[in-house]
Amino acid sequence: MSGAVGGLLGVVGLSAAAGVLVTVAVTPALAVTGIAANSSISMFENLPDYLAIDDLAQKSTIWATNPVDGSQLALASFYDQDREEVPWDAVSQTVKDAAIAAEDPRFYEHGGVDLAGTIRGALVTLSGNDVQGGSSITQQYVKNVLINNGVSQATTEEEQEAAYEAATETTPERKLKEIRYAIALEKQYSKDEILLGYLNIAGFGGRVYGIQAAAQYYYGVNASDLTLTQATSLLAIVNNPDNLRLDQPDSERNGINSVNTKGEVVPYLRNKERRDYILREMLRYDKITQAQYDEAVATPVEPSIHPSSTGCQTAGASGYFCDYVTWVIKNQMDDPETEINEGVRLLQQGGLDIYTTIDLNLQDAADRTMRENVPFVDGRFDVGSVAVSVEVGTGRVLAMTQNKNYSQDSEVLNADRGFSAINYSTDFDYGGSMGFQPGSTFKVFTLAEWLNEGHSLLESFNGSRKSISNFPGACSGGTYVVGGGFNPRNDDGRIANNAVDATKWSVNSSYMQMASQVQLCGIKNTAEAFGVKRADGNELGKPVSNPEGEFAPSDVLGTQEVAPLSMATAFAGIANNGTTCTPIPIDRIVGPDGEEIAAPKTTCSQAVAPEVAHAMDYAMEQVFSGGGTATASNTGSGVPHIGKTGTTDGAKDTWMIGSSTRVATAVWVGNVTGEANLRDLSFDSGAAATARHRMWPAIMSVADQKYGGDAFPDAPSSAFRQVLVDLPNLAGLTLDQARQALEEAGFQFADGGQRDSDLPVGQVMASEPSGQAGRGSVVTVFTSNGKLKALPNVVGQSLQQATATLTAAGFSVTGNGNGNVTAMSPAAGTPAAPGTVVTLTVGGGGNGNGNGNQGNDG
């Protein structure tokens, strides 16, 4: 008993020490016990008398700009506590009167502590019965502030739990601290400020906090518009938020069908009992009339629940963009030195207004074409698709959609494959997948490195299929050697012998020739300079499953798994004169006080020199015309585009990525898991493998109309140069000797077969070109078949003699006249095939009959 008496006397002593109570009633109590008072007063006086009020946890909202009128549309809200702080004028007087009548009728009279209520509550509590109220509104406000401060300042979940326990434990010491702070608050703030703070911080059941959120949730109105019965039912909840809330209609004691002691059904019985008590108190203190009271108590409790959803599922078709926004905040606004994620805390508690980059016109076009062209569920395979657009020069993400509805609800995800929580557009660390192979769209980085190292667009090479074993400049140093050689097949029979045609037709063998003439690691580094990395977060060539791996020749053709957003960002960098800007979905963030908070910003860096980018532009523009692989994606809008298609082995993944000078868009259609060949499948919209070409122009036509686009800068003249070098002398060499001589000189060898010649069989008799040729160009070598003979010289012989000589050599003769041969055609020494007719010209002095018979003199 002495502990209980000591606690009570501590409360009494506290009141006396504070000057709140100096009455005769206290003195006998102290005199009778003679204990605890001094120590309690001493402890009270040593407590701090200043209470800092940290910012309240408030919900954050992600906004999009309405393209019609520029207003802001809410995509989603996030909160641990559903709360919206409101000013004094935004709360009806009825609410204020109800709060005071319910919790602290003498609120405007005492100095922070209602002694009578405090002693009554302490006596009941210390007697061992249930915890009794009695705290003033100021004291209740203090307790809630201490809870809020402790939880908000904690850096771990354990600290948060400990802070809550410390602020709510039932001990005399905690009560002393609460009263001390209450008295101090009354000196710092006006009564109205304290009452407003109490109404904004109070819990109303579940995750609903503050009078405004409670009014919205339970009745769908603002706190300024609550009726008398609504206001009193809400204030009733504050007395016991778990048991008196109005969103549990199946509760036996406080549900829609709860029954009183008389057996009568009384909706939300326990809440009504507390509500009616508040109404009686309001009548008692003349805050309402008898008529108002009578009408109110006769009115049943009738909530109209308006759920305030937290999370991106409310964003509908923009759910995956919304999800990306949250990951940017969680990842880029976190302090890695603490255990609590500051980004998460800001999102869930910071009361942020997050204004995003999304363009709802473009987003609508992307969502519409996605739904028209790709099913969300396909019984034949695990179908996936993404469309993502990025603004050139800023990195602002304008659109992001995929062929799934967004949800984080495990029950929904398990029940319907048309829903997903994974954002296929983004990296794994940003809520995405482990990525997809980009196929031939990755070739643009070999094109960039080709130009980086001084090669030109029209520089010739042998683009035919051949096995290549050595690739210089491996990332591990030296040459990357492929045992048995690497010889990928081409998608069709076309062969390209320069970078422009290789890009236009996406010829694998041509690009492997290019890759074998540049630094292999340079291709990887150039791709990474454009912002491309594996979606699992590792550098190219080093997947999580094999962190000791290396960028390989096969990766030139796009076998590293990357996220579509990374590819769209890279193509935007190519279109931006070679300057890549990291993607960002947030324009600005405003805190609950109206002040801007620094939002994550894009960072831009030069991936390649502008002249290299301009040369890339030239080659990538050809993809859209003249039989290029992206001809089907030409928008016809008149806005110039650069682009590249991609199809992986077995047509598992198909891509179309391209850009104007304003907007870049990546479209992927493929297998989320599995190996289905899209060329063997059709959707309702058409062939599965060409869905990308139906989607990309539908999106970019909207982008072209809204953002326009300029002509891409001209490529420098040096990008088209041909450097001519001397060809080696091949005369008299065998075919193998000629091959070796050409390859040692840096040329590509091609066997042109045999031609008629008087040289020995197998000797080189000609080559095309001859003399000089461009570096690395193809030289076609022709060898002799030995079928030709040089014509013997018969000039000066008689016709008869000449005829005999030529006939013996296997040639035919024509000619007439008298005398000796003065000329022959073909000329003597000319290589000619057997049977070739030789025309002889004969002078005077002989019989001109070709058969050698003499004629008459006359």
PDB file of all heavy atoms in Angstrom, residues 469-501:
ATOM      1  N   SER A 469      37.648 -16.025 -83.670  1.00  0.00           N
ATOM      2  CA  SER A 469      38.159 -16.555 -82.410  1.00  0.00           C
ATOM      3  C   SER A 469      38.744 -15.493 -81.500  1.00  0.00           C
ATOM      4  O   SER A 469      38.702 -15.631 -80.273  1.00  0.00           O
ATOM      5  CB  SER A 469      39.240 -17.615 -82.687  1.00  0.00           C
ATOM      6  OG  SER A 469      38.705 -18.698 -83.422  1.00  0.00           O
ATOM      7  N   ASN A 470      39.289 -14.425 -82.057  1.00  0.00           N
ATOM      8  CA  ASN A 470      40.030 -13.451 -81.256  1.00  0.00           C
ATOM      9  C   ASN A 470      39.354 -12.085 -81.263  1.00  0.00           C
ATOM     10  O   ASN A 470      39.047 -11.531 -82.318  1.00  0.00           O
ATOM     11  CB  ASN A 470      41.458 -13.325 -81.790  1.00  0.00           C
ATOM     12  CG  ASN A 470      42.215 -14.639 -81.720  1.00  0.00           C
ATOM     13  OD1 ASN A 470      42.113 -15.371 -80.737  1.00  0.00           O
ATOM     14  ND2 ASN A 470      42.973 -14.947 -82.771  1.00  0.00           N
ATOM     15  N   PHE A 471      39.141 -11.564 -80.039  1.00  0.00           N
ATOM     16  CA  PHE A 471      38.559 -10.244 -79.857  1.00  0.00           C
ATOM     17  C   PHE A 471      39.495  -9.432 -78.970  1.00  0.00           C
ATOM     18  O   PHE A 471      39.703  -9.777 -77.800  1.00  0.00           O
ATOM     19  CB  PHE A 471      37.170 -10.353 -79.221  1.00  0.00           C
ATOM     20  CG  PHE A 471      36.156 -11.011 -80.103  1.00  0.00           C
ATOM     21  CD1 PHE A 471      36.070 -12.396 -80.176  1.00  0.00           C
ATOM     22  CD2 PHE A 471      35.303 -10.245 -80.890  1.00  0.00           C
ATOM     23  CE1 PHE A 471      35.148 -13.013 -81.001  1.00  0.00           C
ATOM     24  CE2 PHE A 471      34.368 -10.852 -81.718  1.00  0.00           C
ATOM     25  CZ  PHE A 471      34.299 -12.240 -81.779  1.00  0.00           C
ATOM     26  N   PRO A 472      40.068  -8.370 -79.498  1.00  0.00           N
ATOM     27  CA  PRO A 472      41.057  -7.614 -78.722  1.00  0.00           C
ATOM     28  C   PRO A 472      40.413  -6.817 -77.592  1.00  0.00           C
ATOM     29  O   PRO A 472      39.207  -6.540 -77.602  1.00  0.00           O
ATOM     30  CB  PRO A 472      41.671  -6.684 -79.766  1.00  0.00           C
ATOM     31  CG  PRO A 472      40.595  -6.511 -80.799  1.00  0.00           C
ATOM     32  CD  PRO A 472      39.886  -7.830 -80.849  1.00  0.00           C
ATOM     33  N   GLY A 473      41.234  -6.456 -76.614  1.00  0.00           N
ATOM     34  CA  GLY A 473      40.795  -5.542 -75.557  1.00  0.00           C
ATOM     35  C   GLY A 473      39.796  -6.131 -74.602  1.00  0.00           C
ATOM     36  O   GLY A 473      38.825  -5.468 -74.222  1.00  0.00           O
ATOM     37  N   ALA A 474      40.010  -7.376 -74.165  1.00  0.00           N
ATOM     38  CA  ALA A 474      39.115  -7.968 -73.169  1.00  0.00           C
ATOM     39  C   ALA A 474      39.230  -7.212 -71.847  1.00  0.00           C
ATOM     40  O   ALA A 474      40.262  -6.626 -71.533  1.00  0.00           O
ATOM     41  CB  ALA A 474      39.458  -9.441 -72.957  1.00  0.00           C
ATOM     42  N   CYS A 475      38.175  -7.236 -71.053  1.00  0.00           N
ATOM     43  CA  CYS A 475      38.175  -6.491 -69.791  1.00  0.00           C
ATOM     44  C   CYS A 475      39.190  -7.056 -68.803  1.00  0.00           C
ATOM     45  O   CYS A 475      39.645  -6.345 -67.902  1.00  0.00           O
ATOM     46  CB  CYS A 475      36.776  -6.488 -69.176  1.00  0.00           C
ATOM     47  SG  CYS A 475      35.573  -5.526 -70.122  1.00  0.00           S
ATOM     48  N   SER A 476      39.538  -8.314 -68.962  1.00  0.00           N
ATOM     49  CA  SER A 476      40.547  -8.910 -68.091  1.00  0.00           C
ATOM     50  C   SER A 476      41.955  -8.669 -68.615  1.00  0.00           C
ATOM     51  O   SER A 476      42.929  -9.077 -67.992  1.00  0.00           O
ATOM     52  CB  SER A 476      40.300 -10.423 -67.974  1.00  0.00           C
ATOM     53  OG  SER A 476      40.339 -11.037 -69.255  1.00  0.00           O
ATOM     54  N   GLY A 477      42.052  -8.003 -69.760  1.00  0.00           N
ATOM     55  CA  GLY A 477      43.350  -7.741 -70.369  1.00  0.00           C
ATOM     56  C   GLY A 477      43.626  -8.694 -71.512  1.00  0.00           C
ATOM     57  O   GLY A 477      43.176  -9.843 -71.528  1.00  0.00           O
ATOM     58  N   GLY A 478      44.381  -8.224 -72.498  1.00  0.00           N
ATOM     59  CA  GLY A 478      44.732  -9.068 -73.622  1.00  0.00           C
ATOM     60  C   GLY A 478      43.569  -9.327 -74.549  1.00  0.00           C
ATOM     61  O   GLY A 478      42.631  -8.529 -74.652  1.00  0.00           O
ATOM     62  N   THR A 479      43.616 -10.470 -75.208  1.00  0.00           N
ATOM     63  CA  THR A 479      42.612 -10.841 -76.204  1.00  0.00           C
ATOM     64  C   THR A 479      41.639 -11.847 -75.627  1.00  0.00           C
ATOM     65  O   THR A 479      42.034 -12.774 -74.922  1.00  0.00           O
ATOM     66  CB  THR A 479      43.295 -11.434 -77.447  1.00  0.00           C
ATOM     67  OG1 THR A 479      44.166 -10.463 -78.020  1.00  0.00           O
ATOM     68  CG2 THR A 479      42.267 -11.857 -78.488  1.00  0.00           C
ATOM     69  N   TYR A 480      40.370 -11.630 -75.911  1.00  0.00           N
ATOM     70  CA  TYR A 480      39.359 -12.609 -75.509  1.00  0.00           C
ATOM     71  C   TYR A 480      39.331 -13.680 -76.599  1.00  0.00           C
ATOM     72  O   TYR A 480      39.004 -13.412 -77.751  1.00  0.00           O
ATOM     73  CB  TYR A 480      37.992 -11.943 -75.389  1.00  0.00           C
ATOM     74  CG  TYR A 480      36.951 -12.796 -74.690  1.00  0.00           C
ATOM     75  CD1 TYR A 480      36.498 -12.475 -73.419  1.00  0.00           C
ATOM     76  CD2 TYR A 480      36.422 -13.922 -75.304  1.00  0.00           C
ATOM     77  CE1 TYR A 480      35.547 -13.254 -72.776  1.00  0.00           C
ATOM     78  CE2 TYR A 480      35.471 -14.710 -74.670  1.00  0.00           C
ATOM     79  CZ  TYR A 480      35.044 -14.370 -73.400  1.00  0.00           C
ATOM     80  OH  TYR A 480      34.112 -15.148 -72.772  1.00  0.00           O
ATOM     81  N   VAL A 481      39.670 -14.904 -76.227  1.00  0.00           N
ATOM     82  CA  VAL A 481      39.756 -16.000 -77.193  1.00  0.00           C
ATOM     83  C   VAL A 481      38.539 -16.899 -77.030  1.00  0.00           C
ATOM     84  O   VAL A 481      38.243 -17.370 -75.934  1.00  0.00           O
ATOM     85  CB  VAL A 481      41.048 -16.811 -76.991  1.00  0.00           C
ATOM     86  CG1 VAL A 481      41.101 -17.969 -77.994  1.00  0.00           C
ATOM     87  CG2 VAL A 481      42.268 -15.913 -77.153  1.00  0.00           C
ATOM     88  N   VAL A 482      37.855 -17.118 -78.138  1.00  0.00           N
ATOM     89  CA  VAL A 482      36.704 -18.007 -78.148  1.00  0.00           C
ATOM     90  C   VAL A 482      37.136 -19.342 -78.732  1.00  0.00           C
ATOM     91  O   VAL A 482      37.460 -19.429 -79.925  1.00  0.00           O
ATOM     92  CB  VAL A 482      35.548 -17.427 -78.978  1.00  0.00           C
ATOM     93  CG1 VAL A 482      34.346 -18.363 -78.945  1.00  0.00           C
ATOM     94  CG2 VAL A 482      35.166 -16.052 -78.466  1.00  0.00           C
ATOM     95  N   GLY A 483      37.179 -20.354 -77.892  1.00  0.00           N
ATOM     96  CA  GLY A 483      37.574 -21.665 -78.377  1.00  0.00           C
ATOM     97  C   GLY A 483      36.617 -22.175 -79.436  1.00  0.00           C
ATOM     98  O   GLY A 483      35.418 -22.231 -79.204  1.00  0.00           O
ATOM     99  N   GLY A 484      37.146 -22.521 -80.580  1.00  0.00           N
ATOM    100  CA  GLY A 484      36.297 -22.975 -81.674  1.00  0.00           C
ATOM    101  C   GLY A 484      35.679 -21.856 -82.462  1.00  0.00           C
ATOM    102  O   GLY A 484      35.006 -22.088 -83.474  1.00  0.00           O
ATOM    103  N   GLY A 485      35.870 -20.613 -82.008  1.00  0.00           N
ATOM    104  CA  GLY A 485      35.353 -19.456 -82.731  1.00  0.00           C
ATOM    105  C   GLY A 485      33.889 -19.160 -82.449  1.00  0.00           C
ATOM    106  O   GLY A 485      33.149 -20.007 -81.941  1.00  0.00           O
ATOM    107  N   PHE A 486      33.487 -17.936 -82.730  1.00  0.00           N
ATOM    108  CA  PHE A 486      32.108 -17.489 -82.518  1.00  0.00           C
ATOM    109  C   PHE A 486      31.548 -17.109 -83.875  1.00  0.00           C
ATOM    110  O   PHE A 486      32.085 -16.263 -84.578  1.00  0.00           O
ATOM    111  CB  PHE A 486      32.084 -16.309 -81.551  1.00  0.00           C
ATOM    112  CG  PHE A 486      30.689 -15.862 -81.171  1.00  0.00           C
ATOM    113  CD1 PHE A 486      29.782 -16.749 -80.610  1.00  0.00           C
ATOM    114  CD2 PHE A 486      30.285 -14.546 -81.371  1.00  0.00           C
ATOM    115  CE1 PHE A 486      28.508 -16.341 -80.253  1.00  0.00           C
ATOM    116  CE2 PHE A 486      29.014 -14.123 -81.011  1.00  0.00           C
ATOM    117  CZ  PHE A 486      28.117 -15.025 -80.457  1.00  0.00           C
ATOM    118  N   ASN A 487      30.437 -17.735 -84.263  1.00  0.00           N
ATOM    119  CA  ASN A 487      29.885 -17.531 -85.599  1.00  0.00           C
ATOM    120  C   ASN A 487      28.363 -17.503 -85.528  1.00  0.00           C
ATOM    121  O   ASN A 487      27.690 -18.459 -85.921  1.00  0.00           O
ATOM    122  CB  ASN A 487      30.353 -18.648 -86.534  1.00  0.00           C
ATOM    123  CG  ASN A 487      29.906 -18.431 -87.974  1.00  0.00           C
ATOM    124  OD1 ASN A 487      29.509 -17.342 -88.364  1.00  0.00           O
ATOM    125  ND2 ASN A 487      29.980 -19.493 -88.772  1.00  0.00           N
ATOM    126  N   PRO A 488      27.776 -16.408 -85.009  1.00  0.00           N
ATOM    127  CA  PRO A 488      26.312 -16.353 -84.868  1.00  0.00           C
ATOM    128  C   PRO A 488      25.636 -16.295 -86.226  1.00  0.00           C
ATOM    129  O   PRO A 488      26.166 -15.738 -87.189  1.00  0.00           O
ATOM    130  CB  PRO A 488      26.094 -15.063 -84.086  1.00  0.00           C
ATOM    131  CG  PRO A 488      27.260 -14.198 -84.442  1.00  0.00           C
ATOM    132  CD  PRO A 488      28.421 -15.140 -84.596  1.00  0.00           C
ATOM    133  N   ARG A 489      24.459 -16.850 -86.288  1.00  0.00           N
ATOM    134  CA  ARG A 489      23.716 -16.824 -87.546  1.00  0.00           C
ATOM    135  C   ARG A 489      23.037 -15.463 -87.712  1.00  0.00           C
ATOM    136  O   ARG A 489      22.820 -14.728 -86.748  1.00  0.00           O
ATOM    137  CB  ARG A 489      22.665 -17.929 -87.560  1.00  0.00           C
ATOM    138  CG  ARG A 489      21.559 -17.754 -86.549  1.00  0.00           C
ATOM    139  CD  ARG A 489      20.502 -18.848 -86.683  1.00  0.00           C
ATOM    140  NE  ARG A 489      19.424 -18.677 -85.729  1.00  0.00           N
ATOM    141  CZ  ARG A 489      18.391 -17.854 -85.912  1.00  0.00           C
ATOM    142  NH1 ARG A 489      18.320 -17.118 -87.008  1.00  0.00           N
ATOM    143  NH2 ARG A 489      17.439 -17.762 -85.006  1.00  0.00           N
ATOM    144  N   ASN A 490      22.688 -15.149 -88.943  1.00  0.00           N
ATOM    145  CA  ASN A 490      21.949 -13.927 -89.244  1.00  0.00           C
ATOM    146  C   ASN A 490      20.461 -14.237 -89.343  1.00  0.00           C
ATOM    147  O   ASN A 490      20.061 -15.369 -89.618  1.00  0.00           O
ATOM    148  CB  ASN A 490      22.443 -13.307 -90.553  1.00  0.00           C
ATOM    149  CG  ASN A 490      23.843 -12.748 -90.411  1.00  0.00           C
ATOM    150  OD1 ASN A 490      24.188 -12.185 -89.380  1.00  0.00           O
ATOM    151  ND2 ASN A 490      24.652 -12.932 -91.448  1.00  0.00           N
ATOM    152  N   ASP A 491      19.663 -13.192 -89.129  1.00  0.00           N
ATOM    153  CA  ASP A 491      18.217 -13.389 -89.142  1.00  0.00           C
ATOM    154  C   ASP A 491      17.693 -13.627 -90.549  1.00  0.00           C
ATOM    155  O   ASP A 491      16.665 -14.261 -90.747  1.00  0.00           O
ATOM    156  CB  ASP A 491      17.529 -12.174 -88.505  1.00  0.00           C
ATOM    157  CG  ASP A 491      16.135 -12.517 -88.008  1.00  0.00           C
ATOM    158  OD1 ASP A 491      15.980 -13.571 -87.367  1.00  0.00           O
ATOM    159  OD2 ASP A 491      15.209 -11.721 -88.270  1.00  0.00           O
ATOM    160  N   ASP A 492      18.384 -13.084 -91.540  1.00  0.00           N
ATOM    161  CA  ASP A 492      18.023 -13.343 -92.934  1.00  0.00           C
ATOM    162  C   ASP A 492      19.308 -13.459 -93.742  1.00  0.00           C
ATOM    163  O   ASP A 492      20.401 -13.488 -93.190  1.00  0.00           O
ATOM    164  CB  ASP A 492      17.093 -12.253 -93.491  1.00  0.00           C
ATOM    165  CG  ASP A 492      17.683 -10.858 -93.358  1.00  0.00           C
ATOM    166  OD1 ASP A 492      18.921 -10.733 -93.435  1.00  0.00           O
ATOM    167  OD2 ASP A 492      16.914  -9.899 -93.186  1.00  0.00           O
ATOM    168  N   GLY A 493      19.174 -13.515 -95.029  1.00  0.00           N
ATOM    169  CA  GLY A 493      20.343 -13.765 -95.867  1.00  0.00           C
ATOM    170  C   GLY A 493      21.147 -12.529 -96.232  1.00  0.00           C
ATOM    171  O   GLY A 493      22.148 -12.637 -96.951  1.00  0.00           O
ATOM    172  N   ARG A 494      20.730 -11.368 -95.766  1.00  0.00           N
ATOM    173  CA  ARG A 494      21.428 -10.155 -96.169  1.00  0.00           C
ATOM    174  C   ARG A 494      22.789 -10.040 -95.495  1.00  0.00           C
ATOM    175  O   ARG A 494      22.950 -10.404 -94.329  1.00  0.00           O
ATOM    176  CB  ARG A 494      20.588  -8.920 -95.856  1.00  0.00           C
ATOM    177  CG  ARG A 494      19.466  -8.710 -96.845  1.00  0.00           C
ATOM    178  CD  ARG A 494      18.701  -7.434 -96.584  1.00  0.00           C
ATOM    179  NE  ARG A 494      17.954  -7.485 -95.337  1.00  0.00           N
ATOM    180  CZ  ARG A 494      16.968  -6.647 -95.026  1.00  0.00           C
ATOM    181  NH1 ARG A 494      16.626  -5.693 -95.868  1.00  0.00           N
ATOM    182  NH2 ARG A 494      16.339  -6.755 -93.874  1.00  0.00           N
ATOM    183  N   ILE A 495      23.733  -9.501 -96.234  1.00  0.00           N
ATOM    184  CA  ILE A 495      25.071  -9.259 -95.710  1.00  0.00           C
ATOM    185  C   ILE A 495      25.355  -7.762 -95.824  1.00  0.00           C
ATOM    186  O   ILE A 495      25.067  -7.150 -96.857  1.00  0.00           O
ATOM    187  CB  ILE A 495      26.135 -10.048 -96.499  1.00  0.00           C
ATOM    188  CG1 ILE A 495      25.874 -11.545 -96.359  1.00  0.00           C
ATOM    189  CG2 ILE A 495      27.535  -9.707 -96.007  1.00  0.00           C
ATOM    190  CD1 ILE A 495      25.956 -12.064 -94.942  1.00  0.00           C
ATOM    191  N   ALA A 496      25.902  -7.185 -94.769  1.00  0.00           N
ATOM    192  CA  ALA A 496      26.236  -5.762 -94.772  1.00  0.00           C
ATOM    193  C   ALA A 496      27.734  -5.609 -94.613  1.00  0.00           C
ATOM    194  O   ALA A 496      28.345  -6.260 -93.761  1.00  0.00           O
ATOM    195  CB  ALA A 496      25.510  -5.037 -93.633  1.00  0.00           C
ATOM    196  N   ASN A 497      28.318  -4.748 -95.421  1.00  0.00           N
ATOM    197  CA  ASN A 497      29.771  -4.557 -95.403  1.00  0.00           C
ATOM    198  C   ASN A 497      30.185  -3.184 -94.906  1.00  0.00           C
ATOM    199  O   ASN A 497      31.323  -2.757 -95.111  1.00  0.00           O
ATOM    200  CB  ASN A 497      30.342  -4.816 -96.813  1.00  0.00           C
ATOM    201  CG  ASN A 497      30.159  -6.255 -97.238  1.00  0.00           C
ATOM    202  OD1 ASN A 497      30.273  -7.159 -96.414  1.00  0.00           O
ATOM    203  ND2 ASN A 497      29.863  -6.469 -98.511  1.00  0.00           N
ATOM    204  N   ASN A 498      29.260  -2.464 -94.266  1.00  0.00           N
ATOM    205  CA  ASN A 498      29.623  -1.215 -93.594  1.00  0.00           C
ATOM    206  C   ASN A 498      28.673  -1.014 -92.412  1.00  0.00           C
ATOM    207  O   ASN A 498      27.654  -1.709 -92.289  1.00  0.00           O
ATOM    208  CB  ASN A 498      29.602  -0.024 -94.553  1.00  0.00           C
ATOM    209  CG  ASN A 498      28.229   0.212 -95.162  1.00  0.00           C
ATOM    210  OD1 ASN A 498      27.247   0.401 -94.447  1.00  0.00           O
ATOM    211  ND2 ASN A 498      28.154   0.181 -96.497  1.00  0.00           N
ATOM    212  N   ALA A 499      28.995  -0.085 -91.553  1.00  0.00           N
ATOM    213  CA  ALA A 499      28.256   0.091 -90.296  1.00  0.00           C
ATOM    214  C   ALA A 499      26.830   0.572 -90.525  1.00  0.00           C
ATOM    215  O   ALA A 499      25.932   0.233 -89.742  1.00  0.00           O
ATOM    216  CB  ALA A 499      28.998   1.066 -89.389  1.00  0.00           C
ATOM    217  N   VAL A 500      26.613   1.364 -91.558  1.00  0.00           N
ATOM    218  CA  VAL A 500      25.268   1.874 -91.818  1.00  0.00           C
ATOM    219  C   VAL A 500      24.328   0.733 -92.179  1.00  0.00           C
ATOM    220  O   VAL A 500      23.247   0.579 -91.592  1.00  0.00           O
ATOM    221  CB  VAL A 500      25.282   2.935 -92.936  1.00  0.00           C
ATOM    222  CG1 VAL A 500      23.860   3.347 -93.295  1.00  0.00           C
ATOM    223  CG2 VAL A 500      26.080   4.150 -92.493  1.00  0.00           C
ATOM    224  N   ASP A 501      24.735  -0.091 -93.142  1.00  0.00           N
ATOM    225  CA  ASP A 501      23.880  -1.201 -93.549  1.00  0.00           C
ATOM    226  C   ASP A 501      23.772  -2.248 -92.446  1.00  0.00           C
ATOM    227  O   ASP A 501      22.722  -2.874 -92.277  1.00  0.00           O
ATOM    228  CB  ASP A 501      24.431  -1.834 -94.828  1.00  0.00           C
ATOM    229  CG  ASP A 501      24.254  -0.940 -96.052  1.00  0.00           C
ATOM    230  OD1 ASP A 501      23.422  -0.015 -95.987  1.00  0.00           O
ATOM    231  OD2 ASP A 501      24.967  -1.155 -97.047  1.00  0.00           O
TER     232      ASP A 501
END
